Amino acid sequence: MTDSGELREVLAAIDREDPGLCAFLDVWHEDASARLPAASRLPLAGLPFAVKGPTGLRSYAARRLIAAGGVAVGSTSVPGPGTYWKTWGLGRHGRTVNPWRPDRTPGGSSAGSAVAVAAGLVPLATGSDGAGSVRVPAAWCGVFGLKTTNGLLPSPDRSGLASAGVLAASAAEAETYLRCVLDDYAPAPPALPLSAAYSPDLGFAETEPEVAAAVRGAVRRLEAAGVVRLTGGGCDLLDPGAAWSAVRGGDVRPPEAEVRAENDRRLDAFFTRTPLLLTPVTPNRPHGHAGPGDTFSTALTWAFNLSGHPAASVPAGFTGDGCPVGLQLVAARGRDAEVLGAAGAVERALSGPGEPFAPVRGPRG
């Protein structure tokens, strides 16, 4: 149970750390304190959480968390004006920074949510994922992220690409989210080893060698620990970029429709024989604040927004220059509990002894 003193500490930590991180748009000191007495008598017992963006408090997920006794402490940064890419955020104090490398972006568009969790300011934060907007910042900030099956939860996105998601300190914290937002949620403990296939590029992406090596190393550790057993055959897809853009723009022509249909056929065939697909979350490490250049950071994520599959990002290590990388877990549509159960097993196997995370102080880039 969160008491008033603990809530004050949460709010004080946000006030202390956020001028350097720029993760929050607004912090609701008075409202959070006023909600705590009633929330403490409900199942979540006043659990503090953050919501994505200026409208996040009105989202279905936020309303369900509040109804269960969660206390929303603030809204987190999302991309601001002046750029067409979405892998950054603009908070009330300025440009959102990556807590591990302040000269790099945290990813987006759920930028502030990922940073707030990575810095230990809140145990979970809501997000939404239309192309990788939960998974990319989760990977780049070294936290857990889950994109739910498209259509499982209400979404204001008319294209059908975006689905609700959560950024959390662990898969266990993310399970708190699913228990609250799904009426019929039932845990799905994994039977180990998990039968899985690994692809560094889905057959088309230009994954940086160091990112691929870091994630492949994590997969080898999972094999050695008996958590996964890799099967023969991968999962090669057609590049979904043009199809995703056409769906987002509302003008889908036959070539883009066929790419989407063919990828659906390939994924359906894959998941009939293999329950879990493993890939890097992004083909690249976090880029600088000037922008990503010609690289699509969503190259390995947006295929699953088109197809609707649930997908998670689990911290998988670091590149040599100290940038976190993520391992993506994808399962069949509607298998959200299975993804979460698998992610928990993966997370436990990849966790090792070490110092707890602490935000990196420094200039905002």
Side-chain angles (χ1 to χ4, degrees):
M1 176 185 294
T2 301
D3 62 29
S4 59
E6 291 168 331
L7 181 60
R8 284 195 298 270
E9 290 178 6
V10 169
L11 295 167
I14 294 172
D15 289 342
R16 182 175 62 250
E17 302 293 349
D18 197 50
L21 297 169
C22 305
F24 281 85
L25 291 170
D26 199 7
V27 182
W28 303 317
H29 294 79
E30 293 182 3
D31 188 65
S33 298
R35 287 179 179 272
L36 182 61
S40 64
R41 296 190 292 271
L42 296 169
L44 292 185
L47 178 77
F49 71 98
V51 300
K52 176 183 177 178
T55 63
L57 197 59
R58 300 198 297 269
S59 70
Y60 177 82
R63 288 185 280 115
R64 291 295 298 262
L65 289 168
I66 290 169
V71 173
V73 297
S75 59
T76 58
S77 66
V78 290
T83 180
Y84 64 90
W85 60 83
K86 302 299 182 184
T87 51
W88 71 301
L90 185 64
R92 60 178 177 163
H93 295 294
R95 182 176 56 204
T96 310
V97 304
N98 189 310
W100 295 94
R101 287 283 305 263
D103 62 327
R104 306 291 176 92
T105 177
S109 61
S110 305
S113 287
V115 173
V117 172
L121 300 178
V122 290
L124 65 84
T126 64
S128 59
D129 191 314
S133 290
V134 164
R135 290 161 288 163
V136 172
W140 286 357
C141 291
V143 300
F144 179 81
L146 174 69
K147 176 197 96 68
T148 56
T149 298
N150 291 43
L152 182 68
L153 297 170
S155 170
D157 178 35
R158 294 181 179 180
S159 73
L161 293 170
S163 59
V166 63
L167 289 299
S170 66
E173 292 285 2
E175 187 173 42
T176 300
Y177 170 92
L178 276 192
R179 286 182 183 275
C180 290
V181 301
L182 294 179
D183 291 329
D184 58 351
Y185 174 75
L192 303 182
L194 297 160
S195 180
Y198 172 71
S199 173
D201 55 15
L202 291 176
F204 62 85
E206 296 181 3
T207 305
E208 287 183 21
E210 193 171 354
V211 170
V215 177
R216 188 66 180 91
V219 173
R220 290 194 183 97
R221 289 169 60 193
L222 295 174
E223 288 184 280
V227 173
V228 301
R229 182 183 68 250
L230 293 187
T231 63
C235 184
D236 286 353
L237 302 178
L238 302 176
D239 188 338
W244 184 95
S245 297
V247 172
R248 173 62 76 191
D251 183 20
V252 182
R253 300 181 181 183
E256 291 85 12
E258 178 53 33
V259 167
R260 186 180 194 181
E262 176 60 24
N263 279 349
D264 280 349
R265 286 191 288 268
R266 296 185 186 188
L267 286 166
D268 288 346
F270 174 85
F271 285 116
T272 59
R273 64 179 185 270
T274 309
L276 192 65
L277 174 62
L278 307 175
T279 79
V281 174
T282 63
N284 54 335
R285 68 194 76 197
H287 57 74
H289 293 286
D294 296 329
T295 299
F296 283 101
S297 304
T298 55
L300 295 169
T301 53
W302 54 6
F304 308 111
N305 296 91
L306 277 170
S307 67
H309 292 81
S313 174
V314 176
F318 296 84
T319 56
D321 56 354
C323 292
V325 296
L327 170 65
Q328 180 171 227
L329 287 69
V330 188
R333 299 178 192 90
R335 300 293 187 181
D336 299 67
E338 284 81 352
V339 168
L340 193 56
V346 166
E347 191 176 72
R348 289 187 291 273
L350 294 180
S351 296
E355 294 297 318
F357 173 80
V360 178
R361 308 305 201 279
R364 284 183 263 172

mmCIF file of all heavy atoms in Angstrom, residues 77-123:
data_model
loop_
_atom_site.group_PDB
_atom_site.id
_atom_site.type_symbol
_atom_site.label_atom_id
_atom_site.label_comp_id
_atom_site.label_asym_id
_atom_site.label_seq_id
_atom_site.Cartn_x
_atom_site.Cartn_y
_atom_site.Cartn_z
ATOM 1 N N SER A 77 6.051 13.117 -21.524
ATOM 2 C CA SER A 77 6.361 13.815 -22.766
ATOM 3 C C SER A 77 6.146 12.940 -23.992
ATOM 4 O O SER A 77 6.331 11.727 -23.961
ATOM 5 C CB SER A 77 7.807 14.305 -22.749
ATOM 6 O OG SER A 77 8.711 13.209 -22.748
ATOM 7 N N VAL A 78 5.759 13.595 -25.056
ATOM 8 C CA VAL A 78 5.595 12.998 -26.380
ATOM 9 C C VAL A 78 6.269 13.934 -27.374
ATOM 10 O O VAL A 78 6.670 15.041 -27.017
ATOM 11 C CB VAL A 78 4.102 12.804 -26.725
ATOM 12 C CG1 VAL A 78 3.492 11.713 -25.860
ATOM 13 C CG2 VAL A 78 3.320 14.103 -26.574
ATOM 14 N N PRO A 79 6.428 13.533 -28.632
ATOM 15 C CA PRO A 79 7.075 14.416 -29.596
ATOM 16 C C PRO A 79 6.372 15.765 -29.713
ATOM 17 O O PRO A 79 5.149 15.855 -29.785
ATOM 18 C CB PRO A 79 6.983 13.629 -30.905
ATOM 19 C CG PRO A 79 6.953 12.216 -30.463
ATOM 20 C CD PRO A 79 6.156 12.215 -29.195
ATOM 21 N N GLY A 80 7.162 16.803 -29.725
ATOM 22 C CA GLY A 80 6.639 18.151 -29.889
ATOM 23 C C GLY A 80 6.715 18.609 -31.330
ATOM 24 O O GLY A 80 7.038 17.824 -32.231
ATOM 25 N N PRO A 81 6.420 19.863 -31.594
ATOM 26 C CA PRO A 81 6.441 20.378 -32.967
ATOM 27 C C PRO A 81 7.865 20.518 -33.498
ATOM 28 O O PRO A 81 8.833 20.554 -32.737
ATOM 29 C CB PRO A 81 5.772 21.752 -32.823
ATOM 30 C CG PRO A 81 6.066 22.154 -31.407
ATOM 31 C CD PRO A 81 6.029 20.885 -30.612
ATOM 32 N N GLY A 82 7.985 20.537 -34.795
ATOM 33 C CA GLY A 82 9.265 20.867 -35.415
ATOM 34 C C GLY A 82 10.041 19.703 -35.972
ATOM 35 O O GLY A 82 11.163 19.883 -36.442
ATOM 36 N N THR A 83 9.504 18.489 -35.912
ATOM 37 C CA THR A 83 10.193 17.351 -36.506
ATOM 38 C C THR A 83 9.178 16.331 -36.974
ATOM 39 O O THR A 83 8.110 16.203 -36.396
ATOM 40 C CB THR A 83 11.150 16.687 -35.504
ATOM 41 O OG1 THR A 83 11.795 15.582 -36.127
ATOM 42 C CG2 THR A 83 10.414 16.186 -34.283
ATOM 43 N N TYR A 84 9.503 15.629 -38.026
ATOM 44 C CA TYR A 84 8.589 14.611 -38.532
ATOM 45 C C TYR A 84 8.856 13.254 -37.911
ATOM 46 O O TYR A 84 8.028 12.357 -38.014
ATOM 47 C CB TYR A 84 8.705 14.508 -40.055
ATOM 48 C CG TYR A 84 10.051 14.040 -40.561
ATOM 49 C CD1 TYR A 84 10.327 12.695 -40.748
ATOM 50 C CD2 TYR A 84 11.055 14.964 -40.836
ATOM 51 C CE1 TYR A 84 11.573 12.274 -41.195
ATOM 52 C CE2 TYR A 84 12.296 14.548 -41.284
ATOM 53 C CZ TYR A 84 12.545 13.196 -41.465
ATOM 54 O OH TYR A 84 13.767 12.778 -41.890
ATOM 55 N N TRP A 85 10.022 13.046 -37.284
ATOM 56 C CA TRP A 85 10.255 11.748 -36.675
ATOM 57 C C TRP A 85 9.674 11.756 -35.255
ATOM 58 O O TRP A 85 9.468 12.803 -34.648
ATOM 59 C CB TRP A 85 11.733 11.383 -36.664
ATOM 60 C CG TRP A 85 12.628 12.322 -35.909
ATOM 61 C CD1 TRP A 85 12.866 12.336 -34.569
ATOM 62 C CD2 TRP A 85 13.412 13.387 -36.457
ATOM 63 N NE1 TRP A 85 13.746 13.331 -34.238
ATOM 64 C CE2 TRP A 85 14.099 13.991 -35.373
ATOM 65 C CE3 TRP A 85 13.615 13.884 -37.736
ATOM 66 C CZ2 TRP A 85 14.959 15.075 -35.546
ATOM 67 C CZ3 TRP A 85 14.469 14.958 -37.908
ATOM 68 C CH2 TRP A 85 15.129 15.536 -36.823
ATOM 69 N N LYS A 86 9.421 10.590 -34.736
ATOM 70 C CA LYS A 86 8.705 10.467 -33.470
ATOM 71 C C LYS A 86 9.534 9.806 -32.384
ATOM 72 O O LYS A 86 8.981 9.308 -31.413
ATOM 73 C CB LYS A 86 7.408 9.671 -33.690
ATOM 74 C CG LYS A 86 6.471 10.293 -34.725
ATOM 75 C CD LYS A 86 6.009 11.687 -34.319
ATOM 76 C CE LYS A 86 5.036 12.269 -35.324
ATOM 77 N NZ LYS A 86 4.668 13.665 -34.975
ATOM 78 N N THR A 87 10.845 9.784 -32.537
ATOM 79 C CA THR A 87 11.692 9.099 -31.570
ATOM 80 C C THR A 87 12.304 10.076 -30.568
ATOM 81 O O THR A 87 13.448 9.947 -30.177
ATOM 82 C CB THR A 87 12.801 8.309 -32.292
ATOM 83 O OG1 THR A 87 13.459 9.170 -33.218
ATOM 84 C CG2 THR A 87 12.220 7.133 -33.035
ATOM 85 N N TRP A 88 11.522 11.041 -30.146
ATOM 86 C CA TRP A 88 11.992 11.966 -29.130
ATOM 87 C C TRP A 88 10.774 12.479 -28.365
ATOM 88 O O TRP A 88 9.642 12.102 -28.630
ATOM 89 C CB TRP A 88 12.791 13.124 -29.734
ATOM 90 C CG TRP A 88 11.964 14.110 -30.515
ATOM 91 C CD1 TRP A 88 11.194 13.835 -31.613
ATOM 92 C CD2 TRP A 88 11.782 15.493 -30.245
ATOM 93 N NE1 TRP A 88 10.576 14.974 -32.045
ATOM 94 C CE2 TRP A 88 10.916 16.011 -31.233
ATOM 95 C CE3 TRP A 88 12.279 16.362 -29.267
ATOM 96 C CZ2 TRP A 88 10.532 17.353 -31.262
ATOM 97 C CZ3 TRP A 88 11.904 17.695 -29.312
ATOM 98 C CH2 TRP A 88 11.046 18.182 -30.300
ATOM 99 N N GLY A 89 11.005 13.347 -27.372
ATOM 100 C CA GLY A 89 9.912 13.902 -26.600
ATOM 101 C C GLY A 89 10.228 15.323 -26.183
ATOM 102 O O GLY A 89 11.397 15.738 -26.157
ATOM 103 N N LEU A 90 9.195 16.080 -25.874
ATOM 104 C CA LEU A 90 9.349 17.451 -25.409
ATOM 105 C C LEU A 90 8.558 17.605 -24.122
ATOM 106 O O LEU A 90 7.329 17.561 -24.122
ATOM 107 C CB LEU A 90 8.834 18.438 -26.462
ATOM 108 C CG LEU A 90 9.040 19.914 -26.145
ATOM 109 C CD1 LEU A 90 10.528 20.250 -26.079
ATOM 110 C CD2 LEU A 90 8.359 20.789 -27.192
ATOM 111 N N GLY A 91 9.280 17.729 -23.000
ATOM 112 C CA GLY A 91 8.647 17.857 -21.697
ATOM 113 C C GLY A 91 8.533 19.302 -21.272
ATOM 114 O O GLY A 91 8.911 20.230 -21.997
ATOM 115 N N ARG A 92 8.053 19.510 -20.066
ATOM 116 C CA ARG A 92 7.838 20.879 -19.590
ATOM 117 C C ARG A 92 9.144 21.623 -19.365
ATOM 118 O O ARG A 92 9.165 22.861 -19.378
ATOM 119 C CB ARG A 92 7.019 20.847 -18.297
ATOM 120 C CG ARG A 92 7.669 20.080 -17.153
ATOM 121 C CD ARG A 92 6.837 20.129 -15.883
ATOM 122 N NE ARG A 92 7.464 19.332 -14.834
ATOM 123 C CZ ARG A 92 7.163 19.449 -13.552
ATOM 124 N NH1 ARG A 92 6.256 20.327 -13.166
ATOM 125 N NH2 ARG A 92 7.748 18.672 -12.662
ATOM 126 N N HIS A 93 10.253 20.879 -19.165
ATOM 127 C CA HIS A 93 11.548 21.518 -18.959
ATOM 128 C C HIS A 93 12.419 21.518 -20.212
ATOM 129 O O HIS A 93 13.534 22.041 -20.183
ATOM 130 C CB HIS A 93 12.301 20.817 -17.828
ATOM 131 C CG HIS A 93 11.647 20.958 -16.488
ATOM 132 N ND1 HIS A 93 11.528 22.159 -15.817
ATOM 133 C CD2 HIS A 93 11.058 20.037 -15.675
ATOM 134 C CE1 HIS A 93 10.902 21.980 -14.670
ATOM 135 N NE2 HIS A 93 10.609 20.691 -14.560
ATOM 136 N N GLY A 94 11.939 20.922 -21.305
ATOM 137 C CA GLY A 94 12.738 20.885 -22.523
ATOM 138 C C GLY A 94 12.739 19.510 -23.164
ATOM 139 O O GLY A 94 11.870 18.682 -22.909
ATOM 140 N N ARG A 95 13.733 19.281 -23.974
ATOM 141 C CA ARG A 95 13.835 18.060 -24.754
ATOM 142 C C ARG A 95 14.149 16.859 -23.864
ATOM 143 O O ARG A 95 15.075 16.886 -23.059
ATOM 144 C CB ARG A 95 14.936 18.237 -25.800
ATOM 145 C CG ARG A 95 15.138 17.067 -26.740
ATOM 146 C CD ARG A 95 16.190 17.420 -27.778
ATOM 147 N NE ARG A 95 17.446 17.817 -27.172
ATOM 148 C CZ ARG A 95 18.348 18.585 -27.778
ATOM 149 N NH1 ARG A 95 18.117 19.058 -28.978
ATOM 150 N NH2 ARG A 95 19.479 18.879 -27.166
ATOM 151 N N THR A 96 13.381 15.791 -24.023
ATOM 152 C CA THR A 96 13.558 14.589 -23.215
ATOM 153 C C THR A 96 14.862 13.893 -23.584
ATOM 154 O O THR A 96 15.170 13.732 -24.770
ATOM 155 C CB THR A 96 12.380 13.630 -23.432
ATOM 156 O OG1 THR A 96 11.160 14.346 -23.276
ATOM 157 C CG2 THR A 96 12.417 12.497 -22.418
ATOM 158 N N VAL A 97 15.607 13.472 -22.574
ATOM 159 C CA VAL A 97 16.894 12.825 -22.817
ATOM 160 C C VAL A 97 16.830 11.351 -22.431
ATOM 161 O O VAL A 97 15.988 10.931 -21.643
ATOM 162 C CB VAL A 97 18.040 13.516 -22.045
ATOM 163 C CG1 VAL A 97 18.121 14.990 -22.390
ATOM 164 C CG2 VAL A 97 17.894 13.314 -20.536
ATOM 165 N N ASN A 98 17.733 10.595 -23.018
ATOM 166 C CA ASN A 98 17.889 9.190 -22.631
ATOM 167 C C ASN A 98 18.649 9.140 -21.310
ATOM 168 O O ASN A 98 19.755 9.676 -21.213
ATOM 169 C CB ASN A 98 18.660 8.450 -23.726
ATOM 170 C CG ASN A 98 18.675 6.952 -23.520
ATOM 171 O OD1 ASN A 98 18.997 6.466 -22.441
ATOM 172 N ND2 ASN A 98 18.331 6.211 -24.554
ATOM 173 N N PRO A 99 18.100 8.503 -20.271
ATOM 174 C CA PRO A 99 18.780 8.516 -18.973
ATOM 175 C C PRO A 99 20.152 7.851 -18.982
ATOM 176 O O PRO A 99 20.998 8.163 -18.143
ATOM 177 C CB PRO A 99 17.813 7.748 -18.051
ATOM 178 C CG PRO A 99 16.496 7.840 -18.720
ATOM 179 C CD PRO A 99 16.795 7.842 -20.188
ATOM 180 N N TRP A 100 20.376 6.919 -19.905
ATOM 181 C CA TRP A 100 21.675 6.250 -19.984
ATOM 182 C C TRP A 100 22.695 7.082 -20.743
ATOM 183 O O TRP A 100 23.894 7.025 -20.439
ATOM 184 C CB TRP A 100 21.516 4.892 -20.670
ATOM 185 C CG TRP A 100 20.684 3.924 -19.897
ATOM 186 C CD1 TRP A 100 19.341 3.699 -20.038
ATOM 187 C CD2 TRP A 100 21.125 3.066 -18.851
ATOM 188 N NE1 TRP A 100 18.920 2.747 -19.150
ATOM 189 C CE2 TRP A 100 19.992 2.337 -18.414
ATOM 190 C CE3 TRP A 100 22.354 2.822 -18.254
ATOM 191 C CZ2 TRP A 100 20.063 1.393 -17.390
ATOM 192 C CZ3 TRP A 100 22.423 1.884 -17.239
ATOM 193 C CH2 TRP A 100 21.299 1.182 -16.820
ATOM 194 N N ARG A 101 22.238 7.825 -21.752
ATOM 195 C CA ARG A 101 23.103 8.659 -22.576
ATOM 196 C C ARG A 101 22.353 9.946 -22.891
ATOM 197 O O ARG A 101 21.554 9.994 -23.830
ATOM 198 C CB ARG A 101 23.458 7.936 -23.884
ATOM 199 C CG ARG A 101 24.454 6.785 -23.778
ATOM 200 C CD ARG A 101 25.893 7.326 -23.631
ATOM 201 N NE ARG A 101 26.230 8.237 -24.703
ATOM 202 C CZ ARG A 101 26.913 7.905 -25.816
ATOM 203 N NH1 ARG A 101 27.287 6.655 -25.989
ATOM 204 N NH2 ARG A 101 27.202 8.804 -26.730
ATOM 205 N N PRO A 102 22.542 11.016 -22.093
ATOM 206 C CA PRO A 102 21.771 12.237 -22.312
ATOM 207 C C PRO A 102 21.966 12.863 -23.690
ATOM 208 O O PRO A 102 21.136 13.671 -24.110
ATOM 209 C CB PRO A 102 22.288 13.171 -21.214
ATOM 210 C CG PRO A 102 22.760 12.261 -20.132
ATOM 211 C CD PRO A 102 23.351 11.075 -20.855
ATOM 212 N N ASP A 103 23.030 12.485 -24.392
ATOM 213 C CA ASP A 103 23.229 13.016 -25.738
ATOM 214 C C ASP A 103 22.417 12.256 -26.779
ATOM 215 O O ASP A 103 22.455 12.603 -27.967
ATOM 216 C CB ASP A 103 24.709 12.958 -26.122
ATOM 217 C CG ASP A 103 25.263 11.535 -26.146
ATOM 218 O OD1 ASP A 103 24.822 10.692 -25.334
ATOM 219 O OD2 ASP A 103 26.147 11.259 -26.984
ATOM 220 N N ARG A 104 21.666 11.242 -26.340
ATOM 221 C CA ARG A 104 20.865 10.424 -27.261
ATOM 222 C C ARG A 104 19.374 10.564 -26.929
ATOM 223 O O ARG A 104 18.984 10.916 -25.824
ATOM 224 C CB ARG A 104 21.274 8.949 -27.175
ATOM 225 C CG ARG A 104 22.756 8.677 -27.375
ATOM 226 C CD ARG A 104 23.208 8.936 -28.789
ATOM 227 N NE ARG A 104 24.646 8.748 -28.933
ATOM 228 C CZ ARG A 104 25.209 7.582 -29.290
ATOM 229 N NH1 ARG A 104 24.453 6.527 -29.519
ATOM 230 N NH2 ARG A 104 26.519 7.494 -29.388
ATOM 231 N N THR A 105 18.562 10.231 -27.909
ATOM 232 C CA THR A 105 17.119 10.252 -27.724
ATOM 233 C C THR A 105 16.659 9.040 -26.920
ATOM 234 O O THR A 105 17.293 7.978 -26.980
ATOM 235 C CB THR A 105 16.404 10.262 -29.078
ATOM 236 O OG1 THR A 105 14.983 10.206 -28.880
ATOM 237 C CG2 THR A 105 16.797 9.083 -29.930
ATOM 238 N N PRO A 106 15.530 9.164 -26.187
ATOM 239 C CA PRO A 106 14.991 7.994 -25.499
ATOM 240 C C PRO A 106 14.130 7.119 -26.391
ATOM 241 O O PRO A 106 13.701 6.041 -25.971
ATOM 242 C CB PRO A 106 14.122 8.623 -24.403
ATOM 243 C CG PRO A 106 13.648 9.900 -25.002
ATOM 244 C CD PRO A 106 14.803 10.393 -25.844
ATOM 245 N N GLY A 107 13.866 7.545 -27.625
ATOM 246 C CA GLY A 107 12.888 6.860 -28.452
ATOM 247 C C GLY A 107 11.505 7.451 -28.210
ATOM 248 O O GLY A 107 11.301 8.278 -27.319
ATOM 249 N N GLY A 108 10.554 7.029 -28.996
ATOM 250 C CA GLY A 108 9.204 7.568 -28.863
ATOM 251 C C GLY A 108 8.222 6.745 -29.671
ATOM 252 O O GLY A 108 8.592 5.731 -30.270
ATOM 253 N N SER A 109 6.994 7.154 -29.669
ATOM 254 C CA SER A 109 6.550 8.430 -29.125
ATOM 255 C C SER A 109 6.253 8.398 -27.626
ATOM 256 O O SER A 109 5.994 9.438 -27.018
ATOM 257 C CB SER A 109 5.286 8.889 -29.866
ATOM 258 O OG SER A 109 4.237 7.945 -29.701
ATOM 259 N N SER A 110 6.268 7.216 -27.004
ATOM 260 C CA SER A 110 6.059 7.125 -25.551
ATOM 261 C C SER A 110 7.365 7.440 -24.836
ATOM 262 O O SER A 110 7.843 6.690 -23.970
ATOM 263 C CB SER A 110 5.554 5.726 -25.172
ATOM 264 O OG SER A 110 4.389 5.379 -25.882
ATOM 265 N N ALA A 111 7.927 8.606 -25.171
ATOM 266 C CA ALA A 111 9.270 8.944 -24.719
ATOM 267 C C ALA A 111 9.337 9.126 -23.214
ATOM 268 O O ALA A 111 10.101 8.462 -22.511
ATOM 269 C CB ALA A 111 9.743 10.206 -25.427
ATOM 270 N N GLY A 112 8.535 10.055 -22.697
ATOM 271 C CA GLY A 112 8.597 10.346 -21.282
ATOM 272 C C GLY A 112 8.179 9.185 -20.410
ATOM 273 O O GLY A 112 8.700 9.014 -19.303
ATOM 274 N N SER A 113 7.251 8.371 -20.885
ATOM 275 C CA SER A 113 6.836 7.204 -20.112
ATOM 276 C C SER A 113 8.012 6.261 -19.889
ATOM 277 O O SER A 113 8.218 5.747 -18.787
ATOM 278 C CB SER A 113 5.694 6.471 -20.820
ATOM 279 O OG SER A 113 4.482 7.184 -20.719
ATOM 280 N N ALA A 114 8.791 6.014 -20.939
ATOM 281 C CA ALA A 114 9.946 5.136 -20.809
ATOM 282 C C ALA A 114 10.995 5.725 -19.882
ATOM 283 O O ALA A 114 11.579 5.015 -19.048
ATOM 284 C CB ALA A 114 10.550 4.866 -22.185
ATOM 285 N N VAL A 115 11.240 7.023 -20.009
ATOM 286 C CA VAL A 115 12.257 7.664 -19.180
ATOM 287 C C VAL A 115 11.833 7.668 -17.715
ATOM 288 O O VAL A 115 12.647 7.407 -16.820
ATOM 289 C CB VAL A 115 12.527 9.098 -19.686
ATOM 290 C CG1 VAL A 115 13.457 9.844 -18.731
ATOM 291 C CG2 VAL A 115 13.140 9.055 -21.084
ATOM 292 N N ALA A 116 10.562 7.961 -17.449
ATOM 293 C CA ALA A 116 10.082 7.994 -16.063
ATOM 294 C C ALA A 116 10.242 6.634 -15.400
ATOM 295 O O ALA A 116 10.611 6.547 -14.220
ATOM 296 C CB ALA A 116 8.622 8.437 -16.035
ATOM 297 N N VAL A 117 9.989 5.562 -16.139
ATOM 298 C CA VAL A 117 10.163 4.215 -15.585
ATOM 299 C C VAL A 117 11.647 3.893 -15.440
ATOM 300 O O VAL A 117 12.083 3.359 -14.411
ATOM 301 C CB VAL A 117 9.454 3.181 -16.471
ATOM 302 C CG1 VAL A 117 9.799 1.757 -16.021
ATOM 303 C CG2 VAL A 117 7.942 3.381 -16.431
ATOM 304 N N ALA A 118 12.445 4.202 -16.459
ATOM 305 C CA ALA A 118 13.874 3.891 -16.412
ATOM 306 C C ALA A 118 14.573 4.595 -15.262
ATOM 307 O O ALA A 118 15.493 4.041 -14.643
ATOM 308 C CB ALA A 118 14.535 4.267 -17.735
ATOM 309 N N ALA A 119 14.135 5.808 -14.952
ATOM 310 C CA ALA A 119 14.752 6.572 -13.871
ATOM 311 C C ALA A 119 14.206 6.189 -12.504
ATOM 312 O O ALA A 119 14.631 6.745 -11.492
ATOM 313 C CB ALA A 119 14.535 8.069 -14.111
ATOM 314 N N GLY A 120 13.272 5.240 -12.453
ATOM 315 C CA GLY A 120 12.727 4.797 -11.184
ATOM 316 C C GLY A 120 11.742 5.758 -10.559
ATOM 317 O O GLY A 120 11.445 5.660 -9.365
ATOM 318 N N LEU A 121 11.187 6.686 -11.359
ATOM 319 C CA LEU A 121 10.244 7.660 -10.817
ATOM 320 C C LEU A 121 8.855 7.060 -10.628
ATOM 321 O O LEU A 121 8.127 7.457 -9.714
ATOM 322 C CB LEU A 121 10.185 8.881 -11.740
ATOM 323 C CG LEU A 121 11.521 9.613 -11.933
ATOM 324 C CD1 LEU A 121 11.359 10.774 -12.909
ATOM 325 C CD2 LEU A 121 12.079 10.097 -10.592
ATOM 326 N N VAL A 122 8.478 6.138 -11.503
ATOM 327 C CA VAL A 122 7.215 5.401 -11.377
ATOM 328 C C VAL A 122 7.473 3.956 -11.789
ATOM 329 O O VAL A 122 8.361 3.690 -12.609
ATOM 330 C CB VAL A 122 6.092 5.997 -12.267
ATOM 331 C CG1 VAL A 122 5.627 7.346 -11.735
ATOM 332 C CG2 VAL A 122 6.539 6.114 -13.719
ATOM 333 N N PRO A 123 6.699 2.999 -11.238
ATOM 334 C CA PRO A 123 6.916 1.605 -11.619
ATOM 335 C C PRO A 123 6.315 1.241 -12.965
ATOM 336 O O PRO A 123 6.734 0.266 -13.576
ATOM 337 C CB PRO A 123 6.233 0.820 -10.499
ATOM 338 C CG PRO A 123 5.186 1.747 -9.984
ATOM 339 C CD PRO A 123 5.745 3.129 -10.119
#
